[in-house]
Every structure is written in C-alpha cells, then in structure tokens.
Amino acid sequence: MNIVRATHLGMCFGVRDAIDLALEHAGAAPLTILGDLVHNPTVLRALEAKGIAIAHDVAEVKTPTVMVTAHGTSGRTLARTRALGLTVVEATCPLVHVAHRAVTALAGEGYHVVIVGKRDHVEVRGLTGDLDRFDVVLEDADVLALEPHPRIGVAAQTTQPVEKVRHLVNLIRRRFPQSDVKFIDTVCKPTKQRQSAAIEMARQADVVIVVGGRSSNNTRELVTTCGLYCSRVHHVETDADVRAEWFDAVEVVGLTAGTSTPDDVIDRVEARIRLVDAERRAATA
Ligand code: SF4
C-alpha cells in the first residue's frame, strides 16, 4: 500500500502558538483556559496533565489568570472577564483578529453583517458578540431566510471551505440584486491550503483517512471535501480508531489532518496503517 500525505496537513501556526503560550503561562502561574483551546482531545489531555484548568464559563474560573482560546472572543466578553478582576491572556490567532477587524469595518461602514459559519461555534460567537444585529448563514436555506438590507457585508468563519463561502456570497448577491453586497474573504490561508491539498490527495486515493478531533470544524470539513473526490473516507481521532478492514483491496491511502491535530498523532496513525499493511502482506506470503 502506498500512503500519500496531503502536502499541507495538521496543526497550523495559530494553534501551535496558542498551545505554546498556554504552557508558558502555566509554568509561571495557575491558568484556566476559557473553552477548548483547540478542538482536539489529545492536546486538551496534555494541557490538563500540565495542571492547566479548562472552564466553559467565566463563573467556573478559580485561577487569577484566564486564557482566551485561539478562536478569539468579543470585546464585550473580554471587558466582562476583566471586570471580574481576572487577568486575561489572549491566545487569539492573528488570522482570527483579521476576521474581527473585517467585521468591525463592515459594521462601521453601515453594512448589515452576515457571517458564513456555524452559529454556535466559539469563533462565530466571538465575531458577532459586539454586534447588536447580524445574521449567520451556513446553508442555502439560511440565505433564503435573510431579510433584505440595503447594504450587506459578508465575512466568514476562518475555517469554512472557501468554495462554499463564495457560493453563499453569490447566492446572497442573486437574492438581493438591489443591495450593495460587500464580501471580505476571511477564510484563513492554512485552511485554504489544507482544503486544496486534501482535494489533490483524495483524487489519487482509494481510501482517505482524516485525523482530527470529532468536534473540530475544519477536520469535519476536510472529511466532507475528501468525500467529494473519494468514496471511502474515514475520520479518526487517534491510531486506536484505525480498522484493518478499511484497507481491503486498497493500493493508495490518502492521509490528511485538521489544523488542531498534533504531528505525533498523525505519525501514529500512519504507523498503524503501515502495520496493518505489513500484517496483511505477512498473512498472504
Ligand atoms: S485555523 Fe486559521 S484562523 Fe484558526 S488558528 Fe489556525 S491559522 Fe488561525
């Protein structure tokens, strides 16, 4: 079996820097991370092993310092957290900051803001948390439900597939031909690179393995994208999820991973696939 790794895969600089920042601060003083720093259980367990607490609400925080995740948060939430006397360490990815600035600019120019993304995702809550009026769309039906506005400003959750975002922007333009629709592309470069490398890899593969947390948005998007080009796609969190029967009559295995998947988790999945292959060849020798 030949294993083809996507040319861009796994942890992005934003997640890597956020983890380093958490470890650096945890070494100096007790730290609580507000929400999942990344959507990957392996990384979260490693942080907890270093004594870093994780809280999903500011009311649960018992340390004087809290860290905002790589997904960022709104100015209102930051102000509320600081008002409680907590010191805030921001691990917000610079490319999420770019998306925040785009939303602020659109709202400042009088556009009704529409975000392409998942309504309940922490990044989208952060992007919209300072707005009094906005819409979030993810599917065609969401666009059809939008109210008309003379000026509509569209930005995206950084991890959405850019083709899907462009499709929804076009749909908004077609639905509201009288409106001034301005689009700022805030899908981040690592997401775009991983998506296009995954397509290239999936085109050549008999089976694709996508490594990443079950709740990781960009990992699930990679699963969906690969499924358009390869009929056999499996999502695994770790090497323990890999099943030997997936590789029956397979010559090329494609491998990719979401932006919060650590390198060693990907390496172990690849090693497990190689072991399955070696066992199979030994059984038929
Ligand atoms: S996926 Fe993109 S925006 Fe999110 S942390 Fe990584 S580089 Fe930053």
Side-chain angles (χ1 to χ4, degrees), residues 13 17 42 53 64 84 87 91 96 156:
F13 78 93
D17 289 356
T42 312
L84 292 170
T87 303
V96 173

Side-chain angles (χ1 to χ4, degrees), residues 2-279:
N2 183 18
I3 300 179
V4 177
R5 276 192 181 220
T7 49
H8 293 276
L9 82 174
M11 202 169 271
C12 58
F13 78 93
V15 169
R16 216 180 285 275
D17 289 356
I19 293 167
D20 289 349
L21 194 64
L23 295 173
E24 191 185 304
H25 278 271
L31 178 74
T32 302
I33 295 171
L34 211 45
D36 295 344
L37 177 59
V38 291
H39 290 127
N40 185 282
T42 312
V43 176
L44 293 173
R45 275 196 295 274
L47 293 170
E48 278 175 321
K50 297 266 181 200
I52 298 172
I54 299 198
H56 288 92
D57 191 288
V58 76
E60 299 164 14
V61 176
K62 295 189 175 60
T63 59
T65 308
V66 293
M67 175 178 270
V68 167
T69 71
H71 300 297
T73 194
S74 65
R76 284 175 185 164
T77 302
L78 273 180
R80 256 200 324 270
T81 309
R82 290 196 174 109
L84 292 170
L86 297 166
T87 303
V88 178
V89 176
E90 273 200 79
T92 309
C93 173
L95 300 183
V96 173
H97 276 306
V98 169
H100 275 261
R101 285 198 291 275
V103 169
T104 305
L106 289 170
E109 290 165 27
Y111 288 93
H112 174 77
V113 172
V114 175
I115 302 290
V116 178
K118 288 199 162 171
R119 179 174 298 279
D120 294 329
H121 190 281
V122 60
E123 183 190 319
V124 174
R125 289 207 308 269
L127 286 173
T128 55
D130 293 329
L131 302 173
D132 295 322
R133 296 190 64 209
F134 60 87
D135 282 294
V136 179
V137 297
L138 191 61
E139 307 295 344
D140 291 10
D142 302 325
V143 174
L144 299 179
L146 289 175
E147 299 281 332
H149 297 273
R151 309 185 87 198
I152 300 175
V154 189
Q157 184 180 350
T158 54
T159 49
Q160 286 297 319
V162 72
E163 288 311 318
K164 180 179 184 174
V165 174
R166 290 201 182 112
H167 162 76
L168 291 172
V169 172
N170 287 337
L171 198 60
I172 293 170
R173 289 202 165 111
R174 285 207 302 276
R175 179 152 149 69
F176 302 111
Q178 311 299 333
S179 303
D180 167 13
V181 178
K182 181 170 176 181
F183 168 50
I184 304 182
D185 180 1
T186 51
V187 175
C188 75
K189 190 172 170 193
T191 293
K192 287 175 179 159
Q193 287 173 325
R194 277 153 186 72
Q195 288 277 340
S196 56
I199 291 170
E200 200 182 306
M201 170 274 290
R203 280 194 169 124
Q204 337 164 23
D206 299 312
V207 63
V208 171
I209 305 299
V210 183
V211 193
R214 298 248 170 248
S215 56
S216 157
N217 182 60
N218 73 83
T219 303
R220 286 202 305 245
E221 295 291 359
L222 282 174
V223 173
T224 306
T225 302
C226 290
L228 301 174
Y229 300 91
C230 177
S231 58
R232 294 161 70 182
V233 180
H234 300 283
H235 179 179
V236 300
E237 273 193 349
T238 69
D239 54 322
D241 298 333
V242 174
R243 297 279 160 264
E245 61 271 22
W246 294 343
F247 306 100
D248 288 342
V250 163
E251 281 179 19
V252 180
V253 181
L255 189 63
T256 187
T259 49
S260 53
T261 312
D263 292 346
D264 60 319
V265 175
I266 306 170
D267 291 344
R268 281 199 297 275
V269 169
E270 180 170 344
R272 167 87 181 115
I273 298 168
R274 290 196 187 286
L275 185 66
V276 167
D277 188 35
E279 285 171 352

